Structures are given as structure tokens and as C-alpha cells.
Amino acid sequence: MKHSLLFILLSTPLLAASYKVEDIKFPPSVPPEVGGIDFAPDGTLFVVLRRGDVMRATPAADPTQWKWKLFATGFHNGCGIDAVSRDKVRVTQMADFTEATDTNNDGIADQYRIFAAGWGLSGNYHETNTIAEDGKGGYYIAIGTASHNGPTAEHTLGEYSKFGRRGRNFASVKWRGCTLYCDSKGNLSPFCFGFRMHNGIHQDSSGNLWCGDNQGDWRATTPLYHLKKGNFYGHPSALVWDERWPEGKDPLHTYREDLEAYNEHRTWPSVQIPHSEMNRSAGEPHEIPKNFPHFPGQMLLPDNNSKRITRIMLEKVNGKFQGACTHFLNGGGLRSGNHRIRFSSDQQQIYIGQTVRGWGKEAEGLQRITPSGKEPFDITAFNITPQGFKITFTRELERELATKDLKFKSFTYQSKWTYGSPQENRIDNKVESVRRLSPKTVEVTLDRFKPGRVYQLDLEELKSKEGDKIQNQLFYYTANQLP
């Protein structure tokens, strides 16, 4: 832990130098607890606030000169928003998916209708929902579980399950802990199962669907999941809403008694992200668009519980995604509470919506991140080989790397009923060789290199040929499989 804290302190100035972070202020009377953000096709930014309002504004270069206007109100903890047009939004609130429309062009929504509904509501504060567009007029909806820290009401909305009610985080009412598919007409169907609190869901430019989740019970550490229809993603409570699960069978008891069967049934994370060192509480993942000047095509994952955003380098191995993670931004004026991401219409800036929901020091609002120069000196590709890794830097290295410049260790995680799980089976992996493939790329061979482990890389303080210090020195690669 001392090493991790030292790394954070040393890396922050370098990370901050690459980006300018600005506060976008709301009017003083508006509680700035951001549930969701989205751009309309005309470039108008809409923000749904957890206290019930939807605000809109045309982005201004000066962060103090935004002209916010109230567009709609009355939503119950809205955490997902689709800005269909300048005059229409759809918002997922606790109980349903509601459409608000301005029909008389006065700038304020005057027509509200339920676009989709059908999931349950127990009365628990933790049961928030959010959305991702499918690109065809439909949506994927992430339906969160309830928490033991809040009650279940005497009268619930929807079907109730006594087995679903068990556990620290629970799914006592219909489709809690599931991802749903909503077609363009508002018809709902279950898509996949087994989430604790997937606070953000995203479809990338290739049609792949992604979500994170929060470390906790049945979540050893922060995961990034690639979602496929029908799969189970590890939190057992939601299995009561999978019609394939045997009626009358308690999923929590079943898998608490048989972790081997649990591991066989679940879909493992594409990337396991160390909780303390990298990302404590995942928000909404988002692909970096092709026109953004830094790391296009990679993934960003905001941390709701720290002042940082994780950068993820994915690849396919044997037909399945896995990859590496490091910091994109760590401090540098960024608040905590980060959980929603959108890129500006020209793809040159990042907007971050923030709320801590009472789980830490107040950090609410909207911030804008602008690259302040050329792409920083860092690792830009981290690819697995049968014997180790091929690592590519953004710039030519000052000198050839030696084995002492890279230190690897590896470990495993086992998700179970406890609140998070420690790193297990830790070993050091000796660097047997470093081979220069090009001015920017090296191939590293490791001893005791096996699949099913997370590999940690600690770099020495390297420099580019131009004399720039490397932005990050800590990386993690989830090696589910070897090529």
C-alpha cells in the first residue's frame, strides 16, 4: 500500500500536465448531483440531476458563461438520459423509463409519458438504473440491486422473491441485478444476469456492449465486463429472475457452498482492475472516439470514489476480450464522484458528470477535460504473447530497456460472498529477456507465465528520446487466456 500511495503522489503532476480540467458551474439554486449526461444531435448538452431536474445548455468555451435552462422536472433519482433531440429526452428513473417532450417549442417539456416499464422497485435507495443506446432506436438498461443498508418497503412494485431478498446486495424484485433490452417500442426483455451495481453501460463503435461494477459482495475487485446475451456475470441474487434457474433453489446458498461450480457458471471480467491502486468504484465505461487526440479506440472508466479515470487497452485473445489498465487522469483538478462520460460533438473534449451519493466527501457537478498538448509519453499498447508481453510506447525510448527496468508480479482474485477479496497466490515473475522490436516496441519474456492471473508491471522512471518522463509507471494486465 505504501508503494501505491507513493506512485499516486509521484504520478499526479505528469498526468495533470497533459490535461486541463475545468468546472462547469450550475446556477446556485440547482443541486449539482449529476445522474446522467448526453448531447443532443444539435450539440445541446442535457444533464439529469438526481434531485429530479433536467437542465440543458449550449456549451460555451468559457466555463463560467454557460446559460443553463430548466427543461424538465419531477424525476425520481434519474441516472440515465438519452437526448433524442433538443426538444425530447428519455430518462431512466427508479421505477421506469420516461420520455419528456417540449411540444409547443417554449423550451420546457410539457408532455410526459412512460416509454418503458416492468422492472421491480422495493423502495430501497440503491436501485438506480441507467442506459446505453443500441444504435437502432432501442436501449440496454442496467438495473441495479438493493443494498442491505436500506430497507425493503412493505408494499413493493412488481413480483417479489424471498431468495432474491437474501444477501448483502439483493434482487428481491423483478429483474434487479440484470441488464435488460428495450426495443424501439419500449418492450422489455432480460438480456443478461448477475450484476451488483453496474453504474454505467456502453456500446462501442463495433457494437460491443460493456459495463463495470462495484467491488463488494461477489465482486473481488472492480471489473470490466463484455456483455453477451444470456450470460451470468457473477452476482448470484439476480439468478432468481433467470427463467433457466431452477424454481425454489437459493442461488446464494448454492454458490456459497460450491465456488467451483460458481466459477464455471460465471463469465469472468475481461479486465480485473485493482480496487485501491486503480479504480475503487466503476462508473460508465466509454470508448475514446477516433478523432480524440490521445489513445483513440481505447476505453475510459471513471472512478466514482476517487479523483481518477482509468484507461483500458483491450485486445482479443482466442476470440475473447482481455487487456491492461492504467491511469488516464489521476488528480490534476479532477473531483471524485466521477461516473458519467460524454465526448463533445467534435470529439476533442471530455465531459464528466459527478455525484458521490453520500459515500464520501462532497464532490458533485460537471467538469470538462481538454488535452493540453501532444499525446503523453506512455504505454499505448499492451499485448500478450505465449511467453510474456509485447509493449508499445507512444514515443521512441531514450535508450534500450534492460531487464531491471521492468518488474513483474502476478496474482489471482476469487469473488465470493465477502465484501471484496484480497489478491491471492502472489508471485514474482522474473523478466528473462527484453527484446527491442522497433524504436517504440519491446517484447518481454517472463518466467512462470500462466493464464488465469493478473500481471502487475512496475516500470522504472523511463524517458523518451525527447527527454519526457513516462506518464504512468504502474500497469495491470488480466491474462484470462494465452494466445
Side-chain angles (χ1 to χ4, degrees):
M1 180 59 70
K2 289 181 180 179
H3 172 271
S4 300
L5 291 174
L6 178 62
F7 167 79
I8 290 169
L9 291 172
L10 289 175
S11 68
T12 296
L14 291 173
L15 292 157
S18 301
Y19 303 97
K20 178 174 71 173
V21 179
E22 301 170 295
D23 286 348
I24 309 297
K25 298 292 187 182
F26 290 99
S29 61
V30 175
E33 300 174 43
V34 175
I37 60 177
D38 197 34
F39 281 97
D42 72 344
T44 303
L45 181 63
F46 283 81
V47 177
V48 60
L49 302 169
R50 291 183 48 243
R51 300 293 179 124
D53 293 339
V54 174
M55 308 293 292
R56 74 177 185 183
T58 299
D62 185 341
T64 68
Q65 297 301 310
W66 284 50
K67 307 299 183 184
W68 290 103
K69 294 183 178 179
L70 177 69
F71 177 75
T73 192
F75 293 98
H76 182 198
N77 203 355
C79 283
I81 183 169
D82 174 23
V84 179
S85 70
R86 183 176 175 81
D87 302 312
K88 180 187 292 186
V89 297
R90 291 173 181 156
V91 173
T92 48
Q93 54 183 338
M94 299 288 273
D96 60 44
F97 192 4
T98 291
E99 180 180 276
T101 307
D102 172 16
T103 65
N104 58 8
N105 298 314
D106 66 352
I108 299 175
D110 53 86
Q111 181 185 85
Y112 293 77
R113 73 178 184 96
I114 295 177
F115 179 73
W119 58 82
L121 191 65
S122 75
N124 189 280
Y125 77 98
H126 203 268
E127 293 176 336
T128 57
N129 320 300
T130 188
I131 54 173
E133 297 173 58
D134 74 346
K136 303 173 184 176
Y139 303 86
Y140 297 97
I141 309 178
I143 307 290
T145 59
S147 169
H148 77 293
N149 282 322
T152 298
E154 181 177 355
H155 301 286
T156 62
L157 173 66
E159 187 180 348
Y160 179 86
S161 167
K162 65 177 183 179
F163 288 138
R165 177 60 181 84
R166 299 188 61 208
R168 184 183 178 101
N169 272 63
F170 54 89
S172 62
V173 289
K174 189 176 181 180
W175 289 337
R176 287 288 157 192
C178 302
T179 296
L180 306 181
Y181 179 67
C182 175
D183 69 18
S184 60
K185 303 296 184 182
N187 300 305
L188 297 174
S189 58
F191 184 76
C192 53
F193 308 85
F195 303 95
R196 184 176 182 270
M197 176 49 68
H198 44 333
N199 177 28
I201 185 169
H202 173 69
Q203 183 171 268
D204 68 22
S205 59
S206 298
N208 298 298
L209 189 63
W210 300 94
C211 77
D213 210 327
N214 287 182
Q215 183 248 25
D217 58 319
W218 302 98
R219 291 288 182 265
T221 192
T222 302
L224 177 71
Y225 289 115
H226 179 219
L227 306 188
K228 292 286 191 73
K229 184 174 176 60
N231 285 11
F232 167 58
Y233 289 88
H235 199 282
S237 293
L239 287 173
V240 297
W241 305 113
D242 184 349
E243 62 182 13
R244 298 166 299 180
W245 185 258
E247 186 176 354
K249 187 176 183 180
D250 182 347
L252 283 179
H253 177 76
T254 298
Y255 285 143
R256 182 165 180 153
E257 296 299 313
D258 193 346
L259 283 177
E260 183 176 351
Y262 168 72
N263 287 334
E264 289 178 1
H265 184 191
R266 68 179 171 129
T267 299
W268 287 65
S270 296
V271 183
Q272 298 192 80
I273 305 167
H275 172 256
S276 298
E277 296 86 346
M278 201 60 59
N279 193 308
R280 296 178 62 87
S281 183
E284 176 181 52
H286 205 293
E287 180 184 17
I288 302 174
K290 63 181 180 180
N291 291 330
F292 191 75
H294 299 175
F295 311 108
Q298 297 186 18
M299 190 80 71
L300 296 182
L301 187 67
D303 187 347
N304 187 241
N305 200 237
S306 293
K307 302 175 182 180
R308 56 194 179 185
I309 300 170
T310 305
R311 175 167 63 91
I312 299 173
M313 296 166 272
L314 292 161
E315 62 175 334
K316 266 191 172 180
V317 178
N318 303 325
K320 295 185 177 181
F321 284 104
Q322 59 186 43
C325 62
T326 191
H327 294 298
F328 175 78
L329 185 59
N330 183 19
L334 187 70
R335 285 189 290 261
S336 66
N338 307 292
H339 79 140
R340 295 290 178 263
I341 289 185
R342 287 295 183 274
F343 284 80
S344 58
S345 299
D346 63 2
Q347 301 183 352
Q348 298 302 297
Q349 295 174 308
I350 305 169
Y351 287 85
I352 301 289
Q354 299 152 330
T355 182
V356 295
R357 295 179 55 93
W359 288 319
K361 186 177 178 181
E362 182 179 342
E364 319 286 336
L366 181 68
Q367 292 189 298
R368 180 170 62 192
I369 301 169
T370 305
S372 56
K374 62 182 179 180
E375 192 170 57
F377 177 46
D378 208 346
I379 290 177
T380 189
F382 203 127
N383 302 108
I384 198 167
T385 69
Q387 290 81 38
F389 298 102
K390 183 173 69 173
I391 297 170
T392 301
F393 296 84
T394 55
R395 299 181 207 160
E396 188 173 344
L397 293 160
E398 176 187 47
R399 57 175 173 80
E400 290 197 18
L401 297 186
T403 56
K404 66 180 180 61
D405 293 321
L406 307 96
K407 294 181 174 60
F408 280 90
K409 60 187 68 172
S410 63
F411 50 87
T412 62
Y413 286 112
Q414 175 59 65
S415 292
K416 50 190 174 183
W417 57 92
T418 57
Y419 195 91
S421 300
Q423 296 174 2
E424 301 176 351
N425 305 309
R426 291 181 62 90
I427 63 171
D428 292 323
N429 297 92
K430 180 183 176 182
V431 178
E432 295 183 332
S433 67
V434 180
R435 185 164 66 99
R436 184 175 184 267
L437 300 181
S438 77
K440 296 181 182 179
T441 303
V442 297
E443 187 174 66
V444 181
T445 301
L446 303 179
D447 76 334
R448 298 194 285 177
F449 192 57
K450 299 177 181 179
R453 303 182 67 82
V454 177
Y455 286 84
Q456 175 181 327
L457 167 60
D458 292 272
L459 283 176
E460 290 296 307
E461 192 177 272
L462 305 179
K463 290 185 178 180
S464 70
K465 192 174 182 179
E466 296 87 357
D468 296 314
K469 293 181 180 179
I470 193 152
Q471 178 170 256
N472 284 294
Q473 294 174 252
L474 181 63
F475 301 80
Y476 295 90
Y477 187 101
T478 301
N480 291 327
Q481 299 190 44
L482 301 186

